[in-house]
Amino acid sequence: VLKAGEKRIELLAKIDTGASDCLFERSYGEALGLRVEDGVRKTYATANSRFEAYGHEISIQVLETETTATVYFFADPDIARNVLGRRGWLDRLRFGLVDYEQAVYLSDYNE
């Protein structure tokens, strides 16, 4: 769940331990009432592409854990990807994955 003010959006996102930031589709930022381009502009470069995104401070809730962080919304409306990255999400949690049990463990880092 993403929250900005009184608005909240439920969505599916992938956990990406290789992603430096949390990145979401532009349409979700707009649905939260954000003017995407008014955010902090950042250019990302991957092995096969470059793209722009804009950062906004919002709340992210996964299961019962909620954090407030700067997350980024893609400038390009055609990019359809949502990832929970290191800054703003993984750096605030204890995250455990046991593949053979198909189990994920998640708790606040300070608990």
Side-chain angles (χ1 to χ4, degrees):
V1 176
L2 302 181
K3 294 193 256 181
E6 298 297 316
K7 295 186 179 184
R8 57 184 279 139
I9 301 287
E10 289 191 27
L11 59 96
L12 294 175
K14 294 182 179 184
I15 298 167
D16 186 344
T17 59
S20 58
D21 296 304
C22 298
L23 291 154
F24 299 100
E25 295 175 31
R26 178 189 182 96
S27 62
Y28 290 122
E30 292 169 345
L32 289 170
L34 302 173
R35 292 174 44 175
V36 174
E37 276 88 8
D38 286 351
V40 177
R41 182 177 173 215
K42 190 169 183 179
T43 301
Y44 292 88
T46 66
N48 59 3
S49 69
R50 288 179 64 87
F51 59 89
E52 306 290 325
Y54 294 91
H56 293 269
E57 188 170 293
I58 64 168
S59 293
I60 305 170
Q61 181 182 346
V62 177
L63 302 174
E64 289 84 39
T65 303
E66 184 171 335
T67 64
T68 300
T70 299
V71 305
Y72 291 83
F73 296 95
F74 293 106
D76 184 345
D78 294 329
I79 299 176
R81 183 168 172 92
N82 300 300
V83 296
L84 295 167
R86 294 189 312 269
R87 280 191 295 264
W89 195 73
L90 277 174
D91 62 352
R92 296 160 191 219
L93 302 170
R94 292 182 183 190
F95 174 79
L97 174 66
V98 182
D99 184 52
Y100 61 88
E101 292 179 6
Q102 297 182 354
V104 174
Y105 299 93
L106 182 68
S107 69
D108 186 285
Y109 185 79
N110 296 312
E111 288 181 359

